[in-house]
Amino acid sequence: MYYFSAEKYDYATTNMKEAGEGKFCPFCNSRIEYEYYQYSHIGKFKCPNCNYGDNQIYKLATNIDLKNRKFDVDGITYNIKFNSIYNIYNFLAVITCTSLYSIDTEIVKKALSTFVLNNGRLEELTIQGIPTIINLAKNPTGSNVSLRILNEDDDEKELLFVLNDNVADGHDVSWIWDINFDSLNNVKRIVTSRNSCL
Ligand SMILES: [Zn+2]
């Protein structure tokens, strides 16, 4: 088994700030102890009873700098086009797998530095001259990470929040109660809307 992990980033906390699962050890049911939370229940933890979570780390992200969109692994700096902590974990998975398959680090560096998603997941575009980011969220954790990105970005911005209850995403939208809207502290204006079909 190969594990990857990320060092504490600037907005990590010592308390769980968002909806999270995994408070108890799946092996012995003891309460898991966290050194830090990056977001939701993702962070550095271990079970005080059976040491679950106390793993030897194969790839560790250090010097995580989301403002300048870069991080280090094994002394190599990776530049990325994203400024979200969860993407660091996604890219760590890539770095872990490509390392195990002995893929050239330069190829991985180039791939990560040019990779963008165009399906509404932090998709960047310009609408009438205004830089815009679209993010699709389908659960509290995804939504709360989106709010983190807004809080951690110093630029002036507005939020358009659109909710739908269409078949593809489910008719039950009660999960929005677990979004930490009261943590928003860096948005000039919020506009809400709904997108629904009969
Ligand atoms: Zn345990």
Side-chain angles (χ1 to χ4, degrees):
M1 193 85 81
Y2 293 87
Y3 293 93
F4 55 84
S5 184
E7 275 190 345
K8 196 174 177 178
Y9 91 120
D10 286 347
Y11 296 90
T13 58
T14 50
N15 296 314
M16 190 182 280
K17 297 282 186 192
E18 296 149 354
E21 297 163 0
K23 290 187 176 68
F24 298 96
C25 177
F27 298 102
C28 74
N29 299 325
S30 300
R31 192 175 188 91
I32 287 170
E33 292 180 349
Y34 275 78
E35 190 176 319
Y36 56 84
Y37 296 88
Q38 306 275 42
Y39 66 94
S40 187
H41 56 268
I42 305 297
K44 188 173 182 184
F45 67 88
K46 78 171 185 180
C47 171
N49 185 47
C50 74
N51 282 338
Y52 165 66
D54 188 17
N55 304 309
Q56 190 176 354
I57 303 303
Y58 176 63
K59 293 293 174 190
L60 176 70
T62 58
N63 301 321
I64 298 168
D65 181 354
L66 294 181
K67 200 155 285 185
N68 295 302
R69 303 186 179 199
K70 60 183 186 175
F71 63 97
D72 295 347
V73 177
D74 294 337
I76 297 162
T77 299
Y78 292 86
N79 294 292
I80 54 175
K81 290 193 174 295
F82 298 91
N83 60 349
S84 60
I85 182 65
Y86 70 86
N87 270 311
I88 300 293
Y89 283 90
N90 288 341
F91 292 146
L92 270 169
V94 172
I95 291 166
T96 299
C97 291
T98 51
S99 171
L100 291 170
Y101 281 97
S102 303
I103 293 172
D104 188 343
T105 304
E106 286 304 314
I107 294 171
V108 179
K109 272 176 72 174
K110 189 178 175 194
L112 295 198
S113 68
T114 53
F115 175 71
V116 288
L117 269 173
N118 293 315
N119 63 354
R121 301 286 179 130
L122 293 181
E123 183 176 351
E124 295 186 358
L125 62 164
T126 302
I127 300 176
Q128 295 184 346
I130 299 169
T132 305
I133 298 174
I134 298 176
N135 198 22
L136 169 69
K138 298 187 176 193
N139 53 59
T141 297
S143 304
N144 285 325
V145 172
S146 296
L147 300 192
R148 272 180 182 266
I149 293 168
L150 292 172
N151 284 344
E152 293 166 12
D153 184 319
D154 293 333
D155 290 344
E156 183 180 312
K157 53 202 170 296
E158 300 180 349
L159 168 66
L160 168 63
F161 179 82
V162 183
L163 181 66
N164 87 57
D165 60 353
N166 295 335
V167 173
D169 301 314
H171 295 300
D172 181 1
V173 294
S174 60
W175 57 269
I176 66 170
W177 289 102
D178 287 328
I179 304 175
N180 291 2
F181 287 109
D182 56 353
S183 74
L184 259 183
N185 58 23
N186 202 10
V187 174
K188 191 177 169 194
R189 189 167 69 119
I190 300 173
V191 179
T192 58
S193 181
R194 63 193 283 267
N195 173 18
S196 185
C197 66
L198 297 174

